Amino acid sequence: MRILYRATVIAQLVALAAAFQVWHDVNRYDAHGNECVYREKKDVVCSQLCVTKLDDCPASLQPDCPAGQSFCADGACHDKCTEDIQAKNPCHCSRAGNKLPAEAHDLVPCLSIPNVTIQQFHPWKSENDIRSACGREANITDQSTTVGVWGKTWIGGSVSALWAECPRAPAPNYTYGESYWIATYAVNGALAVLILVWSLYKGAAEQHVRAAMAKSAAIGEKLAGTESMSDIGKAVESKSLNGMSLADNASEHAMPNSRLSGYRDHLLGTACVWSIAGVAMLWICFLGVWTADYYGSLPGKHHGTLYSLAYESDFLELATFLIIWGITFIMLIVLYVLKPHLRNYFRLLMLPSEGQYVCVVRPLHEVKATEEKPNVLQRYVNALTDRLTILLCRDKEYTTCLVETTTEGRIFFTYQCTRYVYSDKTQQYAPYEFDLGTAHRGLIGQADGLSSADAAYRLELTGPNFIQVRVPGLFEAAARELVSFFYIYQFIFLWAFYFYAYYQVGLVDTGVIIISASIKVMLRLQSERRLKHMAEHEEMVAVRRDGKWVEMSTRNLVPGDVIEIVTGAHISCDCVLISGMAIMNESSLTGEPTPVSKRPLRIDDGNYSPTGAGKMSTLFAGTVVSQAQAVLQSTDSLESDRVLALVRFTGTSSDKGQLVRRILFPNPISFIFNEQMRIVVCILVLYSVFVMVMATYMYKGDSVAVAFYGIFAIAQLLSPLLPAALVIGQSIAATRLRKKQIYCVDPQRIMTAGKVQILATDKTGTLTKEGLEFYGVQQVLGQQARFGEFTSELKRSDELMQMGMASCHAVKDLNGQLIGNPVDIEQWVASGCALEQGETIVPPKGSALGTLRVVRRFEFVHARASMSVVVQDERSGQLHVFVKGSFERLKAISNASSVPGDYDTVCADLAREGGYVLAFAHKALAASDPADVGRVAQDQLESGCDLAGLLVFKNMLKHDTAEAIAELKRGSTRVVEVTGDTSLTGIYIARQCGIIPPDSRVLLGECASPAEEIQWVDVDTREAVADIQPYLSQLGPDGFPTAELAVGGCAFERLCTTGEVASLLLHIRVFARMKPSDKVRCVQLHMERGTTAMCGDGGNDSPALRAAHVGIALSSGEASIVAPFSSANRSMMACVELLRQSRAGLATSFANFTALICYGQIMSGMLKMATFYFAISLTENLWMLIDGAVATGLMLTISLSGPAKRLAPHRPTSRILGPQMLASVGGVVLMNWLFSALSYVWLFRQDWFRCNEHSTAESDATKWWLQGDNYEASIMSFVCAFQFINNGFVVNYGYLYRARWYRNYALLVVWGFLMAFVSYMLLADPSRVGCAFRLNCGTAEVLESLGYGKPTWNIEPYNNPLGHNVIPKASRYELWGYCLGNMLAANLWQVVVINGPVRNWLRKKMPLSRLKVKL
């Protein structure tokens, strides 16, 4: 870069021979091996001839001063030789005092020798030619014995004179008494003293604390458990998480390996913190001052003076900046590393119970999204990185929380939105929860609510029922983003760009970085605001306190409170309904729009379970009350004129609170890219050291020039634009996904989504339509105990079946909207009846049924797997009992004589066909008084029923599910079904949509409980299978087993317990009857095998969506907040689109990475080697073109490449050190190196070049900006310019994952313009464009003499003897063809080898060790 050459030129200013060609003599031989015809060199300046006595000067150089004047030491005649004149003795070579050699004290100059003309100048021995010509001019006959060289041969013996070829004069240096250095010493010294005083004081003040901690054998206190309260509000003994049971949600707040430390502010420590921040800012300002001084922009008397602070010495200016730059860089890195510890170091360590602050130290558990096991090198680097991480304490999360005090004097702190209260009894901080019990009678018995004193006590312990999500302002969010290592790296290296008058490119790069950072900040703020909107809610609610109803904010609710539920209310806590009925909108949790009916707890001896039957009585935080109806009269529930609910969990203890907490504080995820990037950084740093050593060898430069070369070599190899390139690729992919109604809240997951190998998907609402559809009935024929024909027309069934269909459900009508279980609603719609006055059922016109009135209803309970209803036929007054439930349950409770012999077979066949099978049972009651029914227990009512028939529903596939599954499989993605539905239904759906391949044998494994052995059955033949291994050994044409496995929930738990799941996991295609926790475990097991995605649509899928490498929620509810991706288009095609766009985004990010690495290799490789070897430089404008237009423009347009139309059978690479990346980068780099080297081979064979080579002896080295006025620089400019342009083009290939190269129109336009622009400069005769870049141009007079016409634009005279660097026309086309050949070779390498047939052949012959699964 031009930047670099400014540093290297410093050494040339005095010694022109500092840079020389190591491997050839400049301008010695022509292209045919003959010695060059030596050129005439005019106006050569001769060195001063020095003697000890003027009499020793040659006669022609003897001084002859006019009368009255004397010849003085400055080599001129003066009236008087003053001290100032004598001090200008050229024979002292600007040295004086002890720096002047003793041999030079008596040297005096002769008269100056006039400039000479050398007829035959030999550039490779220019010093000898100049001495000889100057000696002849002075009439010196024998220089070899009589004239020496200053500093090499002193006067004595036969040597009577010296040539004053002065060595480089010592650079001026500071006295270090300058005001700015004194200020630097004072400020930094004061800071050092302040820190030392604080450290001594801190050590003494903390002795007693550390002694106390040593006695208790703990430096901190663990967050070991949750203090639980009894159901009457009295404290009980704290329970540890390591063993004893807790309240339901306690484990959410448990951190078994965390520790606490207390701290207290101190004035001196606070002063240290502010001082460190101030000094860091001063060092940055110091950089700014030195940069301004470089441009002569300092205000005041120094304005307009370059290098004024460095005594106008550019060398001293550069050296000083280098030191300040290094100190600032080190300081910023140290502050970054110490950031988690810095503030607390300048506080006094205290016991946690005594500190103003509590620091929570929690281990970080990084989730590694890798597709394969690391190799030996990767393991070594990972181990080294892990040790460094532990050494720097970056393996833990440090959170400092303010200790607060309640109104009653209890101390607490809030960590991750949860209040931790200090217990004097246990001497621990812990979150409090209140165990209200589980007995129905006990919960209903708390209907009178709490006293104000109890409520205040509980509020003090649990904290407000409000999850505050703090969203930072724009400035704070930007600051939080920018205080990372890579931004510090970018900041410090771009500052070097600004310093070296390269601010134009620095501004472009800074703009790109700011844009990428802004995109990340805005996406994060958008996600946090969305979460804040979901988490924070407050409204007024009626609460029972002290036996009275009072209005208060939901913030003040505590466990044990009794609240009134009213229509339209937003539930802000988890509570249980104890009186009245409620219809809830739970779409925010489940994504399902259908309201859910809630009933109160029954007054019986049952136990409440929020995940079991009690779920129908549970109101969850975040849901909305669609309708609330009080129950004034009831036989089995609490009567009240209000709808009452008992608060169970508040804040982060609620289900919604736990969800918000997991979202706000996730574990970090590491992608394989991050793992291998560590190795790449090490390799590139070593490479930069190598090229720096080579440049030093060829250049023979000074340490400052070498240091700056190293800095910019690293900057080029690890471009500051690299993180921005990756972010821009991800952001563009996220934008495209948004257009497809797929929303991304974590763009970094896009790279992970591009590597998905396994997709686990829910069934209902994901693969199938939202609800079940009525399919038909199959009734049992009277006393014959056999099935009749299956019919989809209900009117063809008997009256009893129609009566059961019309009455045995829990559907309610809310202002014309049907409320209830979706299956019940579908059953009710199929019956064709109407509801009047809530519990009266009116049959459709033309029906033989009479009007029915519901006398009593027992709602569906999962534990019983059934529901029942007692209805009265108003025509006859007869009471009927109908029971509906799972076919297994109804068989167990029905009279055995009424069950057909083929009952199990018929039910299994219907389930195998995808049917959701329910059974009906019936009996007629002898009693005719409905009041008598209210006193009969449910079990008694349901006993003795006869089986009436089967009711069948079907979950129909969405229209595009099969197409989506086929496309996913085409894209080498294994799809497994994880459902809560029955095994046979899951298998049917899997077969129907193509998850299970056609003609595959399916073996189903089930067991009654995890403690029992799994029984395997062939689903099609229904035969038991004793050993499944022989079936798994039968391989199909694809090399995989022809059999597929399916397991139920209990069987899955059994496999996990026995460890057999490890060997069978990738053979299991359907996981049925899976609870939310089972889904998480299933996803985690698959994550151990490969990159795993989870697709679901409801709140029950949220934990698995969060756990997976990639989660996509087909929902707008809370599941969409949990998952990094959500889709408003509730179709499996959203998964296809996500993988399609993510693969394109991943490929684009790696294309940008490849282009920037190749850019660095060209820049720091052959180009820099050539600049140092030939002592040349590319012109300033050309550097602007390369860095500003080529590198940045192509990087931006590469990112605009769209995705491929279909998923490819292979995933894009995510390994920087994988064979594809190494072959791609390595091949292009080697070709570029080869063609660059061959271009000079070609150049050295040209007659017009040989004997016209660039020589530092024939050019003015002080004009560094003109060091490109030669053929060597021109050839390298054109060759490298085409290589830079080609870099962006070759990485645009990749139709497997991205649109074909000719579809990226923006890139083609930019590439075409750059190609035309550079080609014009190369092929055209001297023009304004070429001369602007000093390519194919020359001094105006020279161009005119060459027959090109006199230019009308200004051209600074060329800095070479020829006066031009115009390449002959024939050679221009030859060079152009050569550059196109270079581009063609690189493109063929990319098309044929990297992306084409060679890769396909190698992939078959030498496949990589990857996950091999049946698709």
Side-chain angles (χ1 to χ4, degrees), residues 630-644:
V631 175
L632 301 179
Q633 292 183 346
S634 176
T635 58
D636 58 358
S637 64
L638 181 66
E639 299 173 354
S640 175
D641 59 350
R642 299 174 186 251
V643 179
L644 307 180

Side-chain angles (χ1 to χ4, degrees), residues 19 47 215 252 281 324 500 561 594 698 701 863 874 879 1036 1079:
S47 299
K215 287 182 180 180
E252 282 293 326
M281 290 303 299
I324 297 173
Y500 278 106
D561 266 331
T594 306
M698 290 188 293
E874 293 191 347
L879 292 174
K1079 290 185 178 183

Side-chain angles (χ1 to χ4, degrees), residues 759-771 955-966 968 975-979 985-996 1069-1070 1095-1097 1101 1114 1130-1133 1135:
L759 174 66
T761 176
D762 184 33
K763 179 182 73 69
T764 307
T766 304
L767 297 172
T768 63
K769 296 179 181 179
E770 301 298 334
N955 210 188
M956 307 303 290
L957 277 180
K958 294 179 180 177
H959 69 282
D960 56 0
T961 297
E963 180 187 354
I965 298 300
L968 289 168
V975 184
V976 296
E977 183 184 323
V978 185
T979 178
T985 302
I987 292 169
Y988 173 79
I989 294 298
R991 278 179 160 171
Q992 195 177 24
C993 70
I995 291 178
I996 295 178
R1069 187 68 74 164
V1070 177
C1095 179
D1097 71 323
D1101 298 317
L1114 305 183
R1130 305 181 71 170
S1131 162
M1132 281 296 291
M1133 290 304 292
C1135 295

Side-chain angles (χ1 to χ4, degrees), residues 1250-1313:
R1250 296 305 295 267
C1251 302
N1252 291 314
E1253 303 160 41
H1254 172 66
S1255 170
T1256 55
E1258 295 183 284
S1259 62
D1260 187 353
T1262 62
K1263 296 181 179 179
W1264 54 265
W1265 60 93
L1266 300 180
Q1267 293 301 308
D1269 293 348
N1270 48 75
Y1271 289 122
E1272 292 91 336
S1274 295
I1275 297 302
M1276 185 53 63
S1277 296
F1278 287 121
V1279 171
C1280 288
F1282 281 108
Q1283 289 177 351
F1284 282 127
I1285 295 171
N1286 195 45
N1287 279 343
F1289 192 82
V1290 296
V1291 299
N1292 192 45
Y1293 295 115
Y1295 63 91
L1296 290 177
Y1297 317 112
R1298 296 180 292 161
R1300 293 184 179 272
W1301 62 271
Y1302 51 82
R1303 295 288 185 183
N1304 191 343
Y1305 305 118
L1307 177 64
L1308 291 181
V1309 169
V1310 173
W1311 179 84
F1313 169 77

